[in-house]
Amino acid sequence: MRKYAVIYRSVLMENLQYVLNIAMSFISYFIFIFIFISLWNYIYSSPDELIAGYSKVQMIWYVMVTEALWFGARSGSMARQVAADIRSGNIACQINKPYHYTLYVLARFTGEWSVSLPLFALSSTAMGLIMVGKIPGFRITFFLLTIPVILLGITINAILKLCISLVSFWIEDATPFQWLYDKLLLIVGTTFPIEIFPEVLQPIFRLSPVYTVCYGPAKLAVDFSMEKFLQILPAQAAYLAAGLGLMFFIYKKGVKKLYVNGG
């Protein structure tokens, strides 16, 4: 693990040199959140009204948390780079390096969002407090318990997107599958919480990556309960184990195919 820690630190230090560039991307986040604040202000007839169990303040903060994760831990560039390495044949050079390629990619990605995510978290918190107000019932102890759930959600998302990119060993372009996966997360778990959707669909969504990647972290951030925490954390552990197993399996099969075909 020491070699991956070195990779993480080098990428972290590299990204610290470009903090201003990262901060500039907050403009897109601000515009997006401003639109949603206006939308929920229009939908809610009063601040005390509840929709799917969420007050107006909770609903707006839910979107702010999920979008901060979406913008602050962008995994799209990582997924595109993996797919490009496979299509270009650069993967043949990478697999001979003294590290596991997939863990190398994850270490680099972690170093990137370790800089961008805190910036988005601080900026969105300031924006939320000014425009919406504090989260009802917020406690610092609740937030500390939510942090590992957030980190696991980001990691699970990265692993699943990496798995999709590794499909490029067999097909020329995995972009359509990435698009479908991203839109599932964006519509179901990021823009709207699971409770908004019909009850018949909610059990399905709770079994999907949506529950562990975006809904779980945001739900605990805006409406923490120990019962929900003890439901989400084991689900994330199961998804993490399954995702890692799938990632290593696909990569092993892909590399074997590469060797068989003379790559």
Side-chain angles (χ1 to χ4, degrees):
M1 294 301 294
R2 185 177 179 181
K3 66 184 76 171
Y4 302 110
V6 172
I7 294 170
Y8 166 79
R9 286 197 298 270
S10 64
V11 175
L12 178 67
M13 297 303 297
E14 178 184 339
N15 278 267
L16 284 173
Q17 308 301 316
Y18 302 100
V19 171
L20 184 59
N21 291 342
I22 297 172
M24 291 299 292
S25 62
F26 186 74
I27 297 174
S28 300
Y29 173 81
F30 176 83
I31 294 173
F32 193 92
I33 293 301
F34 182 80
I35 292 172
F36 267 89
I37 289 177
S38 302
L39 173 64
W40 289 118
N41 280 332
Y42 177 79
I43 293 175
Y44 279 85
S45 58
S46 69
D48 297 328
E49 182 185 0
L50 295 179
I51 296 179
Y54 292 80
S55 66
K56 182 175 74 172
V57 173
Q58 287 178 319
M59 190 67 79
I60 293 174
W61 271 105
Y62 178 93
V63 177
M64 293 187 69
V65 171
T66 55
E67 290 300 329
L69 295 177
W70 186 275
F71 280 84
R74 291 179 179 271
S75 53
S77 58
M78 175 203 70
R80 288 190 294 271
Q81 183 60 53
V82 172
D85 285 343
I86 296 173
R87 289 196 303 269
S88 65
N90 186 49
I91 190 71
C93 300
Q94 296 285 354
I95 59 179
N96 293 318
K97 297 293 180 64
Y99 49 70
H100 196 283
Y101 175 73
T102 59
L103 297 180
Y104 162 77
V105 171
L106 290 175
R108 285 191 59 86
F109 173 64
T110 305
E112 291 171 0
W113 66 252
S114 291
V115 177
S116 59
L117 184 61
L119 289 176
F120 270 91
L122 291 173
S123 301
S124 60
T125 298
M127 178 181 173
L129 291 174
I130 293 172
M131 301 185 68
V132 183
K134 62 179 289 189
I135 301 173
F138 177 83
R139 298 288 185 277
I140 189 64
T141 51
F142 296 165
F143 175 72
L144 293 176
L145 288 173
T146 304
I147 289 177
V149 177
I150 292 174
L151 300 183
L152 280 172
I154 294 172
T155 304
I156 293 168
N157 181 52
I159 291 171
L160 294 179
K161 288 187 70 67
L162 183 52
C163 287
I164 296 173
S165 291
L166 291 175
V167 177
S168 296
F169 276 115
W170 292 271
I171 63 176
E172 185 173 349
D173 189 7
T175 302
F177 300 103
Q178 295 284 6
W179 186 88
L180 289 172
Y181 173 77
D182 287 341
K183 292 303 173 283
L184 172 66
L185 292 185
L186 180 62
I187 296 173
V188 178
T190 303
T191 307
F192 303 102
I194 290 176
E195 291 89 349
I196 287 288
F197 296 89
E199 291 186 7
V200 67
L201 295 177
Q202 292 181 22
I204 300 174
F205 292 150
R206 286 188 170 89
L207 293 174
S208 72
V210 170
Y211 187 74
T212 58
V213 170
C214 46
Y215 168 81
K219 176 67 175 179
L220 292 177
V222 304
D223 187 20
F224 184 92
S225 72
M226 187 56 67
E227 178 184 2
K228 183 64 69 176
F229 175 78
L230 294 176
Q231 291 174 355
I232 294 171
L233 200 59
Q236 287 186 316
Y239 251 98
L240 180 63
L244 285 172
L246 181 62
M247 180 184 75
F248 289 132
F249 175 78
I250 297 176
Y251 180 75
K252 182 178 179 181
K253 290 293 185 181
V255 170
K256 183 178 180 180
K257 179 179 181 296
L258 194 66
Y259 283 139
V260 169
N261 290 311

PDB file of all heavy atoms in Angstrom, residues 175-199:
ATOM      1  N   THR A 175     -18.624   4.609 -23.488  1.00  0.00           N
ATOM      2  CA  THR A 175     -19.245   5.890 -23.122  1.00  0.00           C
ATOM      3  C   THR A 175     -20.762   5.796 -22.947  1.00  0.00           C
ATOM      4  O   THR A 175     -21.300   6.398 -21.996  1.00  0.00           O
ATOM      5  CB  THR A 175     -18.913   6.960 -24.180  1.00  0.00           C
ATOM      6  OG1 THR A 175     -17.501   7.087 -24.294  1.00  0.00           O
ATOM      7  CG2 THR A 175     -19.511   8.304 -23.794  1.00  0.00           C
ATOM      8  N   PRO A 176     -21.514   5.085 -23.811  1.00  0.00           N
ATOM      9  CA  PRO A 176     -22.969   4.994 -23.605  1.00  0.00           C
ATOM     10  C   PRO A 176     -23.349   4.398 -22.245  1.00  0.00           C
ATOM     11  O   PRO A 176     -24.315   4.844 -21.627  1.00  0.00           O
ATOM     12  CB  PRO A 176     -23.434   4.090 -24.760  1.00  0.00           C
ATOM     13  CG  PRO A 176     -22.396   4.275 -25.812  1.00  0.00           C
ATOM     14  CD  PRO A 176     -21.111   4.440 -25.089  1.00  0.00           C
ATOM     15  N   PHE A 177     -22.572   3.428 -21.781  1.00  0.00           N
ATOM     16  CA  PHE A 177     -22.851   2.826 -20.472  1.00  0.00           C
ATOM     17  C   PHE A 177     -22.535   3.805 -19.339  1.00  0.00           C
ATOM     18  O   PHE A 177     -23.240   3.863 -18.338  1.00  0.00           O
ATOM     19  CB  PHE A 177     -22.041   1.537 -20.316  1.00  0.00           C
ATOM     20  CG  PHE A 177     -22.351   0.490 -21.351  1.00  0.00           C
ATOM     21  CD1 PHE A 177     -21.484   0.267 -22.407  1.00  0.00           C
ATOM     22  CD2 PHE A 177     -23.520  -0.253 -21.291  1.00  0.00           C
ATOM     23  CE1 PHE A 177     -21.765  -0.679 -23.369  1.00  0.00           C
ATOM     24  CE2 PHE A 177     -23.814  -1.208 -22.243  1.00  0.00           C
ATOM     25  CZ  PHE A 177     -22.947  -1.417 -23.289  1.00  0.00           C
ATOM     26  N   GLN A 178     -21.477   4.592 -19.528  1.00  0.00           N
ATOM     27  CA  GLN A 178     -21.164   5.629 -18.542  1.00  0.00           C
ATOM     28  C   GLN A 178     -22.283   6.663 -18.487  1.00  0.00           C
ATOM     29  O   GLN A 178     -22.671   7.126 -17.408  1.00  0.00           O
ATOM     30  CB  GLN A 178     -19.842   6.324 -18.914  1.00  0.00           C
ATOM     31  CG  GLN A 178     -18.609   5.443 -18.854  1.00  0.00           C
ATOM     32  CD  GLN A 178     -18.124   5.177 -17.437  1.00  0.00           C
ATOM     33  OE1 GLN A 178     -18.765   5.567 -16.468  1.00  0.00           O
ATOM     34  NE2 GLN A 178     -17.003   4.498 -17.327  1.00  0.00           N
ATOM     35  N   TRP A 179     -22.788   7.009 -19.655  1.00  0.00           N
ATOM     36  CA  TRP A 179     -23.872   8.007 -19.730  1.00  0.00           C
ATOM     37  C   TRP A 179     -25.110   7.509 -19.000  1.00  0.00           C
ATOM     38  O   TRP A 179     -25.731   8.271 -18.234  1.00  0.00           O
ATOM     39  CB  TRP A 179     -24.192   8.296 -21.189  1.00  0.00           C
ATOM     40  CG  TRP A 179     -25.187   9.394 -21.387  1.00  0.00           C
ATOM     41  CD1 TRP A 179     -24.933  10.730 -21.483  1.00  0.00           C
ATOM     42  CD2 TRP A 179     -26.614   9.257 -21.501  1.00  0.00           C
ATOM     43  NE1 TRP A 179     -26.101  11.439 -21.655  1.00  0.00           N
ATOM     44  CE2 TRP A 179     -27.156  10.552 -21.663  1.00  0.00           C
ATOM     45  CE3 TRP A 179     -27.471   8.170 -21.482  1.00  0.00           C
ATOM     46  CZ2 TRP A 179     -28.518  10.781 -21.805  1.00  0.00           C
ATOM     47  CZ3 TRP A 179     -28.838   8.402 -21.617  1.00  0.00           C
ATOM     48  CH2 TRP A 179     -29.347   9.682 -21.779  1.00  0.00           C
ATOM     49  N   LEU A 180     -25.485   6.257 -19.225  1.00  0.00           N
ATOM     50  CA  LEU A 180     -26.662   5.692 -18.559  1.00  0.00           C
ATOM     51  C   LEU A 180     -26.474   5.655 -17.047  1.00  0.00           C
ATOM     52  O   LEU A 180     -27.392   5.992 -16.279  1.00  0.00           O
ATOM     53  CB  LEU A 180     -26.936   4.281 -19.092  1.00  0.00           C
ATOM     54  CG  LEU A 180     -27.456   4.190 -20.531  1.00  0.00           C
ATOM     55  CD1 LEU A 180     -27.501   2.729 -20.979  1.00  0.00           C
ATOM     56  CD2 LEU A 180     -28.837   4.824 -20.651  1.00  0.00           C
ATOM     57  N   TYR A 181     -25.310   5.251 -16.616  1.00  0.00           N
ATOM     58  CA  TYR A 181     -25.024   5.188 -15.172  1.00  0.00           C
ATOM     59  C   TYR A 181     -25.071   6.581 -14.547  1.00  0.00           C
ATOM     60  O   TYR A 181     -25.683   6.778 -13.478  1.00  0.00           O
ATOM     61  CB  TYR A 181     -23.654   4.547 -14.956  1.00  0.00           C
ATOM     62  CG  TYR A 181     -23.183   4.572 -13.518  1.00  0.00           C
ATOM     63  CD1 TYR A 181     -23.690   3.679 -12.581  1.00  0.00           C
ATOM     64  CD2 TYR A 181     -22.232   5.511 -13.098  1.00  0.00           C
ATOM     65  CE1 TYR A 181     -23.263   3.707 -11.261  1.00  0.00           C
ATOM     66  CE2 TYR A 181     -21.804   5.546 -11.780  1.00  0.00           C
ATOM     67  CZ  TYR A 181     -22.316   4.645 -10.866  1.00  0.00           C
ATOM     68  OH  TYR A 181     -21.897   4.682  -9.558  1.00  0.00           O
ATOM     69  N   ASP A 182     -24.447   7.548 -15.203  1.00  0.00           N
ATOM     70  CA  ASP A 182     -24.435   8.920 -14.668  1.00  0.00           C
ATOM     71  C   ASP A 182     -25.843   9.499 -14.590  1.00  0.00           C
ATOM     72  O   ASP A 182     -26.191  10.190 -13.617  1.00  0.00           O
ATOM     73  CB  ASP A 182     -23.562   9.823 -15.545  1.00  0.00           C
ATOM     74  CG  ASP A 182     -22.084   9.534 -15.373  1.00  0.00           C
ATOM     75  OD1 ASP A 182     -21.709   8.931 -14.358  1.00  0.00           O
ATOM     76  OD2 ASP A 182     -21.297   9.911 -16.274  1.00  0.00           O
ATOM     77  N   LYS A 183     -26.659   9.247 -15.601  1.00  0.00           N
ATOM     78  CA  LYS A 183     -28.018   9.797 -15.602  1.00  0.00           C
ATOM     79  C   LYS A 183     -28.876   9.138 -14.530  1.00  0.00           C
ATOM     80  O   LYS A 183     -29.748   9.783 -13.941  1.00  0.00           O
ATOM     81  CB  LYS A 183     -28.652   9.626 -16.989  1.00  0.00           C
ATOM     82  CG  LYS A 183     -27.996  10.474 -18.054  1.00  0.00           C
ATOM     83  CD  LYS A 183     -28.022  11.949 -17.657  1.00  0.00           C
ATOM     84  CE  LYS A 183     -27.223  12.821 -18.618  1.00  0.00           C
ATOM     85  NZ  LYS A 183     -25.771  12.710 -18.379  1.00  0.00           N
ATOM     86  N   LEU A 184     -28.639   7.852 -14.267  1.00  0.00           N
ATOM     87  CA  LEU A 184     -29.346   7.193 -13.164  1.00  0.00           C
ATOM     88  C   LEU A 184     -29.041   7.886 -11.842  1.00  0.00           C
ATOM     89  O   LEU A 184     -29.954   8.209 -11.064  1.00  0.00           O
ATOM     90  CB  LEU A 184     -28.932   5.722 -13.093  1.00  0.00           C
ATOM     91  CG  LEU A 184     -29.450   4.941 -11.871  1.00  0.00           C
ATOM     92  CD1 LEU A 184     -30.967   4.809 -11.911  1.00  0.00           C
ATOM     93  CD2 LEU A 184     -28.792   3.563 -11.788  1.00  0.00           C
ATOM     94  N   LEU A 185     -27.772   8.155 -11.593  1.00  0.00           N
ATOM     95  CA  LEU A 185     -27.381   8.823 -10.352  1.00  0.00           C
ATOM     96  C   LEU A 185     -27.892  10.255 -10.300  1.00  0.00           C
ATOM     97  O   LEU A 185     -28.349  10.728  -9.256  1.00  0.00           O
ATOM     98  CB  LEU A 185     -25.858   8.830 -10.214  1.00  0.00           C
ATOM     99  CG  LEU A 185     -25.155   7.491  -9.992  1.00  0.00           C
ATOM    100  CD1 LEU A 185     -23.670   7.726  -9.755  1.00  0.00           C
ATOM    101  CD2 LEU A 185     -25.752   6.726  -8.826  1.00  0.00           C
ATOM    102  N   LEU A 186     -27.815  10.950 -11.440  1.00  0.00           N
ATOM    103  CA  LEU A 186     -28.195  12.364 -11.472  1.00  0.00           C
ATOM    104  C   LEU A 186     -29.686  12.557 -11.212  1.00  0.00           C
ATOM    105  O   LEU A 186     -30.082  13.419 -10.421  1.00  0.00           O
ATOM    106  CB  LEU A 186     -27.807  12.969 -12.821  1.00  0.00           C
ATOM    107  CG  LEU A 186     -28.138  14.456 -13.018  1.00  0.00           C
ATOM    108  CD1 LEU A 186     -27.371  15.299 -12.008  1.00  0.00           C
ATOM    109  CD2 LEU A 186     -27.813  14.898 -14.429  1.00  0.00           C
ATOM    110  N   ILE A 187     -30.509  11.743 -11.850  1.00  0.00           N
ATOM    111  CA  ILE A 187     -31.959  11.934 -11.758  1.00  0.00           C
ATOM    112  C   ILE A 187     -32.523  11.366 -10.463  1.00  0.00           C
ATOM    113  O   ILE A 187     -33.325  12.004  -9.775  1.00  0.00           O
ATOM    114  CB  ILE A 187     -32.663  11.297 -12.967  1.00  0.00           C
ATOM    115  CG1 ILE A 187     -32.238  12.006 -14.261  1.00  0.00           C
ATOM    116  CG2 ILE A 187     -34.181  11.364 -12.814  1.00  0.00           C
ATOM    117  CD1 ILE A 187     -32.748  11.352 -15.515  1.00  0.00           C
ATOM    118  N   VAL A 188     -32.096  10.151 -10.126  1.00  0.00           N
ATOM    119  CA  VAL A 188     -32.719   9.466  -8.993  1.00  0.00           C
ATOM    120  C   VAL A 188     -32.137   9.914  -7.662  1.00  0.00           C
ATOM    121  O   VAL A 188     -32.868  10.285  -6.740  1.00  0.00           O
ATOM    122  CB  VAL A 188     -32.580   7.929  -9.134  1.00  0.00           C
ATOM    123  CG1 VAL A 188     -33.186   7.231  -7.928  1.00  0.00           C
ATOM    124  CG2 VAL A 188     -33.265   7.458 -10.404  1.00  0.00           C
ATOM    125  N   GLY A 189     -30.830   9.890  -7.515  1.00  0.00           N
ATOM    126  CA  GLY A 189     -30.259  10.138  -6.196  1.00  0.00           C
ATOM    127  C   GLY A 189     -29.689  11.516  -5.981  1.00  0.00           C
ATOM    128  O   GLY A 189     -29.554  11.960  -4.845  1.00  0.00           O
ATOM    129  N   THR A 190     -29.330  12.212  -7.056  1.00  0.00           N
ATOM    130  CA  THR A 190     -28.671  13.509  -6.904  1.00  0.00           C
ATOM    131  C   THR A 190     -29.661  14.663  -6.917  1.00  0.00           C
ATOM    132  O   THR A 190     -29.712  15.469  -5.981  1.00  0.00           O
ATOM    133  CB  THR A 190     -27.627  13.705  -8.026  1.00  0.00           C
ATOM    134  OG1 THR A 190     -26.693  12.626  -7.988  1.00  0.00           O
ATOM    135  CG2 THR A 190     -26.895  15.014  -7.855  1.00  0.00           C
ATOM    136  N   THR A 191     -30.436  14.743  -7.954  1.00  0.00           N
ATOM    137  CA  THR A 191     -31.392  15.836  -8.075  1.00  0.00           C
ATOM    138  C   THR A 191     -32.592  15.657  -7.148  1.00  0.00           C
ATOM    139  O   THR A 191     -33.098  16.627  -6.575  1.00  0.00           O
ATOM    140  CB  THR A 191     -31.882  15.954  -9.530  1.00  0.00           C
ATOM    141  OG1 THR A 191     -30.754  16.043 -10.399  1.00  0.00           O
ATOM    142  CG2 THR A 191     -32.758  17.180  -9.704  1.00  0.00           C
ATOM    143  N   PHE A 192     -33.051  14.421  -6.994  1.00  0.00           N
ATOM    144  CA  PHE A 192     -34.212  14.136  -6.148  1.00  0.00           C
ATOM    145  C   PHE A 192     -33.910  12.956  -5.232  1.00  0.00           C
ATOM    146  O   PHE A 192     -33.302  11.979  -5.679  1.00  0.00           O
ATOM    147  CB  PHE A 192     -35.444  13.789  -7.002  1.00  0.00           C
ATOM    148  CG  PHE A 192     -35.828  14.859  -7.991  1.00  0.00           C
ATOM    149  CD1 PHE A 192     -35.507  14.736  -9.337  1.00  0.00           C
ATOM    150  CD2 PHE A 192     -36.499  15.987  -7.565  1.00  0.00           C
ATOM    151  CE1 PHE A 192     -35.861  15.714 -10.240  1.00  0.00           C
ATOM    152  CE2 PHE A 192     -36.856  16.982  -8.468  1.00  0.00           C
ATOM    153  CZ  PHE A 192     -36.529  16.843  -9.813  1.00  0.00           C
ATOM    154  N   PRO A 193     -34.333  13.030  -3.978  1.00  0.00           N
ATOM    155  CA  PRO A 193     -34.151  11.874  -3.086  1.00  0.00           C
ATOM    156  C   PRO A 193     -35.073  10.725  -3.465  1.00  0.00           C
ATOM    157  O   PRO A 193     -36.072  10.917  -4.172  1.00  0.00           O
ATOM    158  CB  PRO A 193     -34.498  12.445  -1.705  1.00  0.00           C
ATOM    159  CG  PRO A 193     -35.412  13.593  -1.991  1.00  0.00           C
ATOM    160  CD  PRO A 193     -34.949  14.174  -3.297  1.00  0.00           C
ATOM    161  N   ILE A 194     -34.774   9.553  -2.992  1.00  0.00           N
ATOM    162  CA  ILE A 194     -35.542   8.355  -3.333  1.00  0.00           C
ATOM    163  C   ILE A 194     -37.009   8.487  -2.941  1.00  0.00           C
ATOM    164  O   ILE A 194     -37.902   8.008  -3.651  1.00  0.00           O
ATOM    165  CB  ILE A 194     -34.905   7.114  -2.668  1.00  0.00           C
ATOM    166  CG1 ILE A 194     -33.568   6.783  -3.333  1.00  0.00           C
ATOM    167  CG2 ILE A 194     -35.835   5.902  -2.746  1.00  0.00           C
ATOM    168  CD1 ILE A 194     -32.817   5.639  -2.685  1.00  0.00           C
ATOM    169  N   GLU A 195     -37.285   9.141  -1.815  1.00  0.00           N
ATOM    170  CA  GLU A 195     -38.658   9.224  -1.313  1.00  0.00           C
ATOM    171  C   GLU A 195     -39.604   9.965  -2.256  1.00  0.00           C
ATOM    172  O   GLU A 195     -40.819   9.838  -2.137  1.00  0.00           O
ATOM    173  CB  GLU A 195     -38.682   9.911   0.056  1.00  0.00           C
ATOM    174  CG  GLU A 195     -38.050   9.108   1.171  1.00  0.00           C
ATOM    175  CD  GLU A 195     -36.564   9.367   1.304  1.00  0.00           C
ATOM    176  OE1 GLU A 195     -35.993  10.014   0.384  1.00  0.00           O
ATOM    177  OE2 GLU A 195     -35.966   8.943   2.296  1.00  0.00           O
ATOM    178  N   ILE A 196     -39.037  10.753  -3.175  1.00  0.00           N
ATOM    179  CA  ILE A 196     -39.867  11.512  -4.125  1.00  0.00           C
ATOM    180  C   ILE A 196     -40.561  10.574  -5.117  1.00  0.00           C
ATOM    181  O   ILE A 196     -41.661  10.858  -5.598  1.00  0.00           O
ATOM    182  CB  ILE A 196     -39.000  12.533  -4.891  1.00  0.00           C
ATOM    183  CG1 ILE A 196     -38.612  13.692  -3.979  1.00  0.00           C
ATOM    184  CG2 ILE A 196     -39.714  13.058  -6.125  1.00  0.00           C
ATOM    185  CD1 ILE A 196     -39.733  14.642  -3.639  1.00  0.00           C
ATOM    186  N   PHE A 197     -39.960   9.450  -5.406  1.00  0.00           N
ATOM    187  CA  PHE A 197     -40.435   8.554  -6.450  1.00  0.00           C
ATOM    188  C   PHE A 197     -41.524   7.610  -5.927  1.00  0.00           C
ATOM    189  O   PHE A 197     -41.682   7.440  -4.709  1.00  0.00           O
ATOM    190  CB  PHE A 197     -39.263   7.758  -7.024  1.00  0.00           C
ATOM    191  CG  PHE A 197     -38.245   8.612  -7.718  1.00  0.00           C
ATOM    192  CD1 PHE A 197     -37.177   9.166  -7.011  1.00  0.00           C
ATOM    193  CD2 PHE A 197     -38.369   8.905  -9.063  1.00  0.00           C
ATOM    194  CE1 PHE A 197     -36.249   9.977  -7.642  1.00  0.00           C
ATOM    195  CE2 PHE A 197     -37.448   9.706  -9.708  1.00  0.00           C
ATOM    196  CZ  PHE A 197     -36.384  10.246  -8.997  1.00  0.00           C
ATOM    197  N   PRO A 198     -42.309   6.996  -6.819  1.00  0.00           N
ATOM    198  CA  PRO A 198     -43.380   6.085  -6.389  1.00  0.00           C
ATOM    199  C   PRO A 198     -42.860   4.979  -5.478  1.00  0.00           C
ATOM    200  O   PRO A 198     -41.733   4.489  -5.653  1.00  0.00           O
ATOM    201  CB  PRO A 198     -43.895   5.513  -7.723  1.00  0.00           C
ATOM    202  CG  PRO A 198     -43.551   6.549  -8.741  1.00  0.00           C
ATOM    203  CD  PRO A 198     -42.261   7.159  -8.289  1.00  0.00           C
ATOM    204  N   GLU A 199     -43.686   4.583  -4.528  1.00  0.00           N
ATOM    205  CA  GLU A 199     -43.264   3.587  -3.538  1.00  0.00           C
ATOM    206  C   GLU A 199     -42.865   2.264  -4.177  1.00  0.00           C
ATOM    207  O   GLU A 199     -41.995   1.555  -3.653  1.00  0.00           O
ATOM    208  CB  GLU A 199     -44.383   3.356  -2.521  1.00  0.00           C
ATOM    209  CG  GLU A 199     -44.625   4.540  -1.607  1.00  0.00           C
ATOM    210  CD  GLU A 199     -45.633   4.219  -0.520  1.00  0.00           C
ATOM    211  OE1 GLU A 199     -46.033   3.042  -0.415  1.00  0.00           O
ATOM    212  OE2 GLU A 199     -46.010   5.142   0.230  1.00  0.00           O
TER     213      GLU A 199
END
